[in-house]
């Protein structure tokens, strides 16, 4: 039995009538950009996070770049993030004009190592971007202390972590600004590209809003050299239909993750990503480490089981960032993890039967390769 990596169709089917009812009036009114639907979504998403402000933008990459620009971070400045992230985190830093600096991660959680961050800070460092990778919040308490003691802006890459908690607080409130993506495959996904920044600083949010809308301060005034990065009304309407279901979908992902954890418990060579104390992650991805990753990838694909690599290469070893001149061995933990991780099928509607199928295929490969 084939198991898909992701099933976007399930929520579309379940909510189809609501999507049609939300989108139709926008077509009738030709209300495509901005307007009350976007404003309402921004208000609802801010409330969901517990943040004071939310600005809808065109995608998650722009959310990061606009936040850096709005904070005045650019040429001559350094911004630190981790090597094992989607390349967008690095692209946003580079496109802001700042210099990308990387620091290694913890082997258990795959998240930014606060001590490595501390060691990477120089007198040109202006901001740090921890990534809530795979849906698990980074160690924002430790990172906050270090950021504050060096006067750094703290920006969260929350593209994979809508709805995750650190203690009592939701992702979206744990940094000066938190940047979300609504790419269709994310935990909260639109019918196209979309993104948002949440913040407890209304002035920062307004600067981002202004930059994202051609620097407009009013209908007639262009106060800043901005860009075009707006969340459109149809995406906002789709996201408003989906948002009330986000908690349930995240809970279903957590349940599925606990089932995987239990099924892999006696398989010593399969190591799931550890969840830190006090964290409630939202399992955008369910990732395990295995000894022969490429072999397992091929085996699962041959059985029709969807899987992925997030990501194949750490940032400093991609061709795009070869100019950094950072060779193999620079970030040993991230590099070792990257060589051994594989992402298994994970979506809210995944069934216990599908998971059993995945686990059986993994076990089959692991025991065969152990015996070989
Ligand atoms: C998806 C993602 C982004 C970028 O979001 P887009 O909306 O595709 O631009 C940034 N960072 C991480 C970690 C992501 O997973």
């Amino acid at each position: 039995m084939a198991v898909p990596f992701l099933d976007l169709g399930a929520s579309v089917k379940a909510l189809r009538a609501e999507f049609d009812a939300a989108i139709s009036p926008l077509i009738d009114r030709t209300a495509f950009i901005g307007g009350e639907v976007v404003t309402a979504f921004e208000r609802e998403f801010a409330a969901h996070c517990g943040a004071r402000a939310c600005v809808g933008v065109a995608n998650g990459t722009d959310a990061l770049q606009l936040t850096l620009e709005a904070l005045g971070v650019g040429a001559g400045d350094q911004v630190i993030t981790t090597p094992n992230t989607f390349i967008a985190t690095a692209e946003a830093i580079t496109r802001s004009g700042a210099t990308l600096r990387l620091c290694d991660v913890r082997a258990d959680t795959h998240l930014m190592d606060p001590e490595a961050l501390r060691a990477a800070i120089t007198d040109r460092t202006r901001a740090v971007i921890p990534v809530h990778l795979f849906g698990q919040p980074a160690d924002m308490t430790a990172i906050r202390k270090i950021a504050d003691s060096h006067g750094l802006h703290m920006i969260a890459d929350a593209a994979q972590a809508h709805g995750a908690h650190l203690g009592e607080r939701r992702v979206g409130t744990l940094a000066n600004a938190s940047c979300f993506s609504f790419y269709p495959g994310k935990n909260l996904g639109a019918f196209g590209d979309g993104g948002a920044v949440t913040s407890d600083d209304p002035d920062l949010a307004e600067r981002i809003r202004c930059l994202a809308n051609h620097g407009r301060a009013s209908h007639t005034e262009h106060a800043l050299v901005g860009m075009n990065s707006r969340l459109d009304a149809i995406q906002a309407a789709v996201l408003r239909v989906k948002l009330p279901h986000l908690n349930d979908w995240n809970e279903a992902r957590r349940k599925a993750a606990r089932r995987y954890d239990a099924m892999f418990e006696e398989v010593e060579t399969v190591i799931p990503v550890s969840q830190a104390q006090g964290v409630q992650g939202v399992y955008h991805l369910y990732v395990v480490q295995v000894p022969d990753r490429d072999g397992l990838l091929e085996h699962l694909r041959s059985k029709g089981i969807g899987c992925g690599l997030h990501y194949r290469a750490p940032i400093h070893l991609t061709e795009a960032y070869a100019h950094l001149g950072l060779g193999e061995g620079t970030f040993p933990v991230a590099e070792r993890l990257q060589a051994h991780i594989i992402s298994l099928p994970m979506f809210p509607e995944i069934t216990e039967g599908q998971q059993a199928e995945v686990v059986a295929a993994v076990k089959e490969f692991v025991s065969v390769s152990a015996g070989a």
Side-chain angles (χ1 to χ4, degrees):
M1 181 178 77
V3 182
F5 182 64
L6 175 83
D7 182 6
L8 291 181
S11 66
V12 172
K13 210 183 285 169
L15 300 172
R16 181 60 196 254
E18 285 183 61
F19 288 132
D20 289 341
I23 293 171
S24 266
L26 297 175
I27 300 174
D28 293 337
R29 298 207 312 268
T30 61
F32 300 129
I33 299 277
E36 64 195 38
V37 178
V38 175
T39 308
F41 172 69
E42 289 173 337
R43 195 174 51 235
E44 288 158 8
F45 192 64
H48 187 267
C49 297
R52 284 180 68 191
C54 170
V55 183
V57 297
N59 57 68
T61 314
D62 283 0
L64 290 161
Q65 186 186 331
L66 286 161
T67 300
L68 287 167
E69 275 186 49
L71 288 167
V73 177
D77 301 327
Q78 287 172 347
V79 179
I80 302 176
T81 191
T82 41
N84 60 337
T85 181
F86 183 48
I87 197 162
T89 324
E91 285 174 322
I93 293 169
T94 304
R95 293 206 164 268
S96 77
T99 303
L100 171 68
R101 224 173 133 71
L102 297 168
C103 73
D104 215 340
V105 293
R106 290 177 54 121
D108 51 358
T109 59
H110 303 215
L111 301 171
M112 180 176 279
D113 178 346
E115 287 318 306
L117 165 65
R118 196 195 299 279
I121 293 170
T122 74
D123 46 12
R124 284 174 53 208
T125 308
R126 293 282 311 283
V128 54
I129 309 185
V131 181
H132 302 320
L133 195 70
F134 309 146
Q136 176 175 200
D139 185 353
M140 301 302 267
T141 312
I143 294 168
R144 164 62 73 196
K145 271 196 201 129
I146 297 166
D148 284 351
S149 71
H150 290 83
L152 310 182
H153 301 293
M154 186 157 112
I155 303 165
D157 183 334
Q160 301 187 356
H162 324 70
H165 281 82
L166 182 64
E168 293 299 301
R169 292 176 69 183
R170 270 239 164 101
V171 157
T173 65
L174 303 168
N176 300 76
S178 302
C179 301
F180 292 88
S181 164
F182 304 124
Y183 179 79
K186 308 287 175 163
N187 288 32
L188 182 63
F191 284 1
D193 281 307
V197 182
T198 60
S199 179
D200 284 333
D201 177 349
D203 295 336
L204 174 62
E206 278 319 297
R207 280 201 302 285
I208 293 169
R209 186 183 300 287
C210 174
L211 283 170
N213 191 19
H214 299 295
R216 271 202 182 92
S218 70
H219 255 295
T220 50
E221 274 299 306
H222 296 278
L224 301 167
V225 180
M227 60 193 264
N228 176 0
S229 181
R230 297 173 297 225
L231 180 68
D232 71 70
I234 289 181
Q235 302 314 327
V238 167
L239 292 166
R240 288 190 75 199
V241 170
K242 285 188 162 194
L243 183 59
H245 300 277
L246 179 61
N247 288 348
D248 288 345
W249 289 334
N250 283 340
E251 189 49 39
R253 286 173 182 270
R254 275 186 214 110
K255 274 205 186 108
R258 283 194 291 266
R259 285 201 297 260
Y260 270 139
D261 287 347
M263 289 168 172
F264 284 128
E265 200 159 44
E266 90 270 23
V267 192
E268 246 171 69
T269 49
V270 176
I271 307 167
V273 177
S274 301
Q275 303 294 300
Q277 277 284 316
V279 151
Q280 213 180 8
V282 290
Y283 291 93
H284 173 58
L285 296 165
Y286 186 84
V287 175
V288 296
Q289 277 174 263
V290 291
D292 178 9
R293 192 272 311 280
D294 291 337
L296 179 61
L297 187 69
E298 201 178 306
H299 176 74
L300 293 180
R301 286 193 173 153
S302 77
K303 304 216 121 198
I305 291 173
C307 41
L309 302 183
H310 300 89
Y311 296 88
R312 190 172 278 280
I315 298 296
H316 62 292
L317 299 181
T318 61
E319 198 181 330
Y321 281 96
H323 64 270
L324 293 177
L326 303 172
E328 270 179 51
T330 315
F331 303 106
V333 181
E335 288 169 33
R336 182 161 39 79
L337 293 174
Q338 224 73 357
H340 293 282
I341 51 172
I342 183 165
S343 311
L344 301 178
M346 171 54 82
F347 48 93
E349 301 82 5
I350 194 168
T351 65
E352 206 167 335
Q354 288 175 312
Q355 290 186 271
E357 196 86 15
V358 174
V359 172
V362 172
K363 282 183 178 169
E364 180 183 73
F365 178 79
V366 169
S367 64
V368 166
S369 60

